[in-house]
Amino acid sequence: MESLPPDPPKRKLLDQVRDAIRLKHYSYRTEQSYVAWIRRYILFHNKRHPKDMGSLEVETFLTHLAVTENVAASTQNQALSALLFLYRYVLEQPLEQNIDAIRAKRSKHLPTVLTVSEVQKLLGVMTGTPQLVAEILYGAGLRLNEGLRLRVKDVDFHQQQIIVRDTKGNQDRITVLPQRVIERLQAHLVLVKHQHQQDLNQGYGQVYLPYALERKYPNADRDWVWQYIFPASTRSKDPRSGIVRRHHLHESVIQKAVKAGIRQVGIDKKASCHTFRHSFATHLLQNGYDIRTVQELLGHKDVKTTMIYTHVLNQGGKGVISPLDHIHPSL
């Protein structure tokens, strides 16, 4: 009697986590983050298997992050999300009770905002593709990763609008395409299309497609409309599939260019690429646009998130004139 073939070896826990994340179509960055947090959780509890632990161990780990490591609230929330995902979708033992850990305190810092003059000076010293990206970040209120992930089909020159897809919260939104960048963006796309054609001629030209669309539409990953507007200068191997593709420009390219521009102009503020988005919102409110319009352009779910920019608009300490300024200068 023939013996049955042995069962294939069970995949390691972290590989199971990666499989579940990819099945849910989470981003590669989220995959890296979740795997890292789950590994830290296991090491913190002396390599015990998570299936033998539960809410109490999760609470202990999260409390350690807040009290001992003094992490930010957003960092602690990210760790919690990773562990909730692990127990619900990988181990299939969802945590039933509320996690009663000591929570990290949320910071209440007002966003850094540049004046219109500072934005003009900063953009003025930047050049090339980083300058074009920065102008779109400011002119459309985009996050850096939203700007770099734009594809050819996402820009509507006729309607003068940008469709921002797969945003924070997985909801598409529409924002404005600045008139000032249209001509240069069109010229930029001519060069990108030429580069794409060269890739095709050399047997490449594929681009990453979300939600496994490459299986549903086998040739779509080579279509021009799916290509990134700001592609990387070189092709690279996809860490998940192993396919050699041309990904979008790396974030560090723009971050370094913005940082260098800030130093050159001499802006004494803790500014970054994200400061363009804060400045976009604040300057729209200064120009008289209503808070709901700004909320929609930014893609905020709750108007309370957008309201923070109204605090930035106040002059001085909540718009209050100091009593010292009422004293006659001769005294």
Side-chain angles (χ1 to χ4, degrees), residues 23-145:
L23 190 63
K24 293 286 183 182
H25 308 297
Y26 288 9
S27 70
Y28 182 60
R29 177 172 292 183
T30 300
E31 176 183 323
Q32 291 177 304
S33 174
Y34 277 23
V35 168
W37 279 119
I38 292 168
R39 181 182 286 114
R40 284 183 63 177
Y41 171 66
I42 294 171
L43 293 176
F44 176 77
H45 288 293
N46 300 315
K47 299 185 179 180
R48 289 173 61 194
H49 198 287
K51 69 180 181 181
D52 300 323
M53 298 187 284
S55 297
L56 180 60
E57 286 79 9
V58 170
E59 290 173 4
T60 304
F61 177 64
L62 295 176
T63 298
H64 165 78
L65 292 179
V67 176
T68 305
E69 298 195 17
N70 197 29
V71 301
S74 58
T75 303
Q76 189 189 43
N77 286 337
Q78 187 183 66
L80 174 59
S81 297
L83 297 177
L84 290 175
F85 183 93
L86 167 68
Y87 279 96
R88 181 175 182 182
Y89 295 110
V90 181
L91 300 178
E92 297 182 349
Q93 350 177 147
L95 303 174
E96 296 179 358
Q97 62 192 61
N98 293 329
I99 305 300
D100 191 25
I102 295 177
R103 306 311 297 265
K105 292 184 178 179
R106 286 192 171 275
S107 59
K108 296 182 179 180
H109 302 300
L110 290 177
T112 299
V113 174
L114 301 178
T115 65
V116 175
S117 175
E118 288 172 332
V119 171
Q120 184 175 359
K121 290 176 182 177
L122 176 54
L123 295 176
V125 298
M126 297 180 69
T127 59
T129 300
Q131 181 192 52
L132 183 57
V133 173
E135 288 186 332
I136 291 176
L137 297 183
Y138 170 64
L142 303 183
R143 301 176 179 90
L144 177 56
N145 62 356

Side-chain angles (χ1 to χ4, degrees), residues 83-263:
L83 297 177
L84 290 175
F85 183 93
L86 167 68
Y87 279 96
R88 181 175 182 182
Y89 295 110
V90 181
L91 300 178
E92 297 182 349
Q93 350 177 147
L95 303 174
E96 296 179 358
Q97 62 192 61
N98 293 329
I99 305 300
D100 191 25
I102 295 177
R103 306 311 297 265
K105 292 184 178 179
R106 286 192 171 275
S107 59
K108 296 182 179 180
H109 302 300
L110 290 177
T112 299
V113 174
L114 301 178
T115 65
V116 175
S117 175
E118 288 172 332
V119 171
Q120 184 175 359
K121 290 176 182 177
L122 176 54
L123 295 176
V125 298
M126 297 180 69
T127 59
T129 300
Q131 181 192 52
L132 183 57
V133 173
E135 288 186 332
I136 291 176
L137 297 183
Y138 170 64
L142 303 183
R143 301 176 179 90
L144 177 56
N145 62 356
E146 292 174 345
L148 295 180
R149 291 175 185 171
L150 287 175
R151 300 177 191 255
V152 174
K153 67 182 182 62
D154 297 332
V155 176
D156 187 335
F157 289 103
H158 178 69
Q159 296 288 338
Q160 269 189 241
Q161 65 183 23
I162 295 173
I163 303 174
V164 190
R165 305 184 189 275
D166 302 326
T167 65
K168 197 173 180 180
N170 293 322
Q171 291 186 344
D172 296 349
R173 74 176 191 275
I174 294 176
T175 187
V176 61
L177 171 64
Q179 174 75 36
R180 174 172 164 170
V181 305
I182 289 180
E183 187 175 336
R184 283 184 298 121
L185 183 56
Q186 289 174 329
H188 169 80
L189 286 174
V190 171
L191 299 177
V192 174
K193 191 170 187 178
H194 177 69
Q195 182 185 63
H196 175 56
Q197 188 59 53
Q198 286 184 322
D199 285 346
L200 290 173
N201 294 341
Q202 295 172 16
Y204 297 100
Q206 291 175 280
V207 69
Y208 167 76
L209 293 184
Y211 308 127
L213 285 175
E214 64 265 16
R215 291 198 296 270
K216 189 174 182 181
Y217 305 108
N219 297 318
D221 58 355
R222 289 182 171 86
D223 286 351
W224 165 239
V225 296
W226 280 100
Q227 303 304 308
Y228 289 116
I229 290 178
F230 301 109
S233 58
T234 58
R235 295 185 292 263
S236 59
K237 183 181 290 188
D238 188 295
R240 286 176 166 175
S241 67
I243 299 174
V244 176
R245 298 182 172 123
R246 192 178 293 275
H247 203 52
H248 60 66
L249 200 63
H250 197 274
E251 294 177 357
S252 63
V253 175
I254 310 302
Q255 290 167 339
K256 290 177 182 177
V258 170
K259 189 174 181 179
I262 291 171
R263 284 198 305 265

